[in-house]
């Protein structure tokens, strides 16, 4: 079974893209969702987060996401430290999840596959791109936040230009080219490529 990474900057539409792959019966592991779950359920990780951010990092048993977001998006070193705590545990969770799948290939959807270097454990990667103004518009509508806040989050991620040099496939989600057609083309290529090996 092949492991394929799917990534893209904030507002690029990677989740929408992964849903299309899922409709094609490709199992999807949503790393960002699983990270949120593990930050609440994994006791070792909870203790590490509490040690890094202090008692305000949890509101009872729930992760205080707003508090942590305010910290990591204003101080990059804290974001890097948080990622160093979370990513190894997510990687173990992903490998356990993979062992339960029987598909020809699976997709790991994650925002920072390249930044975290988790792409090194994958067979290939797909980058979802969109024009910057469109990404900003989508995130402002989705998260009800200001343009300034969206740009601050974008600055924490690599640019599309930098990500392109690592990607095996690129999907343009600009609301002009057909997203479905691009996904099907990659899906068919992956199946043919895997079957020929």
């Amino acid at each position: 079974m092949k492991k394929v990474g799917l990534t893209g900057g904030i507002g690029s539409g990677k989740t929408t893209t992964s849903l299309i792959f899922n409709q094609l019966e490709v199992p999807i592991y949503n790393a960002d969702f699983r990270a949120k779950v593990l930050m609440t359920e994994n006791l070792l990780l909870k203790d590490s987060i509490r040690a890094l951010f202090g008692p305000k990092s949890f509101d009872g048993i729930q992760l205080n996401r707003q508090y942590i977001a305010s910290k990591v998006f204003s101080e990059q070193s804290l974001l890097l430290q948080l990622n160093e705590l979370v990513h190894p545990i997510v990687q173990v969770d992903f490998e356990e999840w993979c062992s339960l799948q029987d598909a020809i290939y699976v997709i790991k959807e994650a925002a920072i596959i390249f930044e975290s270097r988790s792409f090194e454990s994958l067979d290939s990667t797909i980058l979802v791109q969109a024009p910057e103004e469109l990404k900003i518009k989508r995130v402002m509508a989705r998260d009800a936040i200001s343009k300034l806040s969206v740009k601050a989050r974008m600055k924490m991620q690599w640019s599309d230009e930098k990500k392109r040099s690592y990607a095996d496939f690129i999907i343009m989600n600009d609301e002009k080219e057909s997203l479905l057609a691009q996904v099907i083309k990659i899906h068919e290529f992956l199946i043919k490529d895997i079957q020929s090996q």
Side-chain angles (χ1 to χ4, degrees):
M1 180 182 68
K2 297 289 186 182
K3 298 167 187 174
V4 179
L6 190 148
T7 192
I10 184 170
S12 62
K14 61 186 174 296
T15 300
T16 302
T17 305
S18 73
L19 289 171
I20 299 172
F21 275 104
N22 196 230
Q23 288 293 309
L24 297 170
E25 300 183 356
V26 179
I28 309 293
Y29 178 89
N30 186 318
D32 300 332
F33 171 76
R34 285 301 298 160
K36 288 171 187 171
V37 171
L38 292 164
M39 283 191 276
T40 299
E41 294 180 356
N42 185 291
L43 297 179
L44 179 65
L45 184 54
K46 282 181 78 169
D47 287 344
S48 300
I49 291 169
R50 204 175 272 115
L52 180 61
F53 293 98
K56 286 186 182 177
S57 53
F58 286 88
D59 183 11
I61 61 165
Q62 294 300 314
L63 185 71
N64 187 341
R65 291 197 183 96
Q66 194 171 3
Y67 172 76
I68 289 177
S70 71
K71 293 290 184 185
V72 299
F73 289 122
S74 61
E75 195 174 333
Q76 186 147 17
S77 66
L78 280 176
L79 179 61
L80 293 172
Q81 289 176 74
L82 178 62
N83 287 340
E84 284 173 8
L85 295 174
V86 175
H87 287 300
I89 290 169
V90 170
Q91 184 62 28
V92 169
D93 187 66
F94 172 62
E95 294 299 338
E96 288 174 356
W97 175 85
C98 284
S99 71
L100 302 173
Q101 309 305 315
D102 61 0
I104 194 167
Y105 77 95
V106 298
I107 284 182
K108 179 183 185 181
E109 177 198 335
I112 56 171
I113 276 177
F114 300 127
E115 294 92 328
S116 68
R117 305 208 67 81
S118 64
F119 73 94
E120 292 172 351
S121 65
L122 300 168
D123 296 294
S124 57
T125 54
I126 302 166
L127 172 63
V128 182
Q129 292 185 177
E132 185 172 307
E133 284 305 313
L134 183 54
K135 289 192 285 189
I136 291 169
K137 183 180 163 187
R138 286 171 180 162
V139 179
M140 286 174 68
R142 183 190 71 196
D143 298 347
I145 58 175
S146 69
K147 186 173 186 175
L148 204 62
S149 297
V150 179
K151 286 197 164 190
R153 292 185 188 185
M154 284 179 159
K155 280 175 73 175
M156 296 292 182
Q157 296 181 347
W158 286 5
S159 67
D160 281 349
E161 186 180 8
K162 188 172 183 179
K163 289 175 182 175
R164 276 196 295 271
S165 63
Y166 291 90
D168 297 297
F169 304 96
I170 295 172
I171 288 175
M172 178 53 74
N173 185 20
D174 58 2
E175 298 178 0
K176 293 175 185 174
E177 295 183 58
S178 167
L179 192 57
L180 177 61
Q182 293 177 81
V183 168
I184 289 171
K185 185 177 180 181
I186 292 171
H187 175 67
E188 289 175 347
F189 177 88
L190 286 168
I191 289 175
K192 189 176 178 183
D193 184 56
I194 293 163
Q195 288 175 340
S196 68
Q197 290 176 8

